[in-house]
Amino acid sequence: MLTLPNNVVDNCQPDELADNDVFNLLAGSGKTRCFPKNTVVLNEGDPSNYLCLINSGKLKVYLSDDSGHEIVLDFMGVGEYFGEMALIDNCGRSASVMTIEDSKLTFVTKDAFNACLAKNPQIASMLMLGLIRRLRHATKKIGSLALLDVYGRVANTLLHLAKEQDGQMVVDKLTHQEIANLVGSSREMVTRIMHNLIECGYITLGNNKQIILNEKAKSPF
């Protein structure tokens, strides 16, 4: 079994607070649209002049090839935003984004963003904190893919995604295929690992197919 450090989850609270502040300051500067589940909001390489705020729902950020293979970089939910890099460097989108639940998004154009920035210059430092948080996450993901076996990558991913709910650490419902896309493995391998984590008492499946990290999971896997 792979030994993981107990502090593998990095709770970057100041960065999360910065994200909330950016969201609140920009929320009134755009137009809101609703998207059904499994709708591509933007594609990698697309030109863009807007930033998106997530009012409701859940989305995945991913890369894919011409054969349809994909790797999920992250999931995003209420109160988060994406697309700020394209506003800053004027380059194409670095990844694709798709809804995995019915979602409501607010689109803030580059002109509206610049106007809000002029009135609230502190947004610049808040965006910087958010970008640093994402860079840290990307660095850890690269390290995980390069240095950990599949078991370790699955364990690391569950620890990263877990949020506290009613005194428990819970991961929102994910299919084995979605986990496989996150860790760069096959669904069959992830299924075997998930069954092993359940049998060993590290995780339990909740009523809504949430993944609950048991007390044992606080120790190294």
Side-chain angles (χ1 to χ4, degrees):
M1 293 294 181
L2 178 77
T3 299
L4 295 178
N6 291 326
N7 63 345
V8 70
V9 180
D10 188 5
N11 296 318
C12 298
Q13 294 179 0
D15 295 349
E16 292 170 0
L17 290 173
D19 279 354
N20 290 337
D21 288 338
V22 170
F23 188 97
N24 293 332
L25 287 169
L26 292 174
S29 301
K31 295 182 179 180
T32 300
R33 292 177 56 191
C34 295
F35 294 84
K37 179 180 178 180
N38 296 329
T39 300
V40 176
V41 178
L42 55 87
N43 286 293
E44 178 186 0
D46 282 352
S48 176
N49 67 342
Y50 60 83
L51 172 149
C52 293
L53 310 172
I54 306 173
N55 300 291
S56 65
K58 188 175 180 181
L59 301 93
K60 67 177 180 180
V61 184
Y62 66 100
L63 299 172
S64 61
D65 60 21
D66 293 337
S67 301
H69 299 116
E70 71 176 44
I71 183 167
V72 176
L73 304 178
D74 207 356
F75 293 106
M76 305 189 77
V78 178
E80 296 185 272
Y81 57 89
F82 58 92
E84 72 278 14
M85 286 196 299
L87 293 185
I88 295 171
D89 64 10
N90 294 314
C91 292
R93 298 297 191 186
S94 60
S96 301
V97 179
M98 174 187 285
T99 61
I100 55 177
E101 296 177 357
D102 292 348
S103 303
K104 183 184 292 185
L105 308 176
T106 295
F107 290 77
V108 180
T109 66
K110 185 168 186 176
D111 288 343
F113 171 79
N114 288 334
C116 191
L117 181 60
K119 294 179 182 178
N120 304 278
Q122 69 271 29
I123 290 178
S125 60
M126 295 173 187
L127 284 173
M128 188 183 301
L129 286 173
L131 289 170
I132 289 171
R133 174 179 56 81
R134 295 183 189 185
L135 178 58
R136 285 176 175 163
H137 173 58
T139 301
K140 288 181 179 179
K141 188 174 184 73
I142 292 169
S144 173
L145 290 171
L147 302 175
L148 300 181
D149 60 14
V150 180
Y151 192 102
R153 297 202 297 270
V154 171
N156 199 19
T157 296
L158 295 179
L159 287 166
H160 170 72
L161 294 175
K163 304 292 184 182
E164 186 172 355
Q165 295 182 18
D166 301 323
Q168 295 180 308
M169 296 303 292
V170 176
V171 179
D172 287 340
K173 177 183 174 182
L174 285 175
T175 67
H176 289 180
Q177 185 61 61
E178 287 172 333
I179 297 174
N181 291 343
L182 276 167
V183 303
S185 182
S186 68
R187 180 186 58 79
E188 293 78 11
M189 175 64 78
V190 168
T191 295
R192 290 197 293 271
I193 292 171
M194 292 296 288
H195 287 165
N196 180 266
L197 291 174
I198 292 172
E199 291 171 359
C200 292
Y202 289 112
I203 64 174
T204 302
L205 296 183
N207 294 331
N208 297 321
K209 295 188 178 180
Q210 293 175 317
I211 302 169
I212 302 170
L213 274 61
N214 298 326
E215 186 69 22
K216 188 176 180 180
K218 295 180 180 179
S219 300
F221 277 66

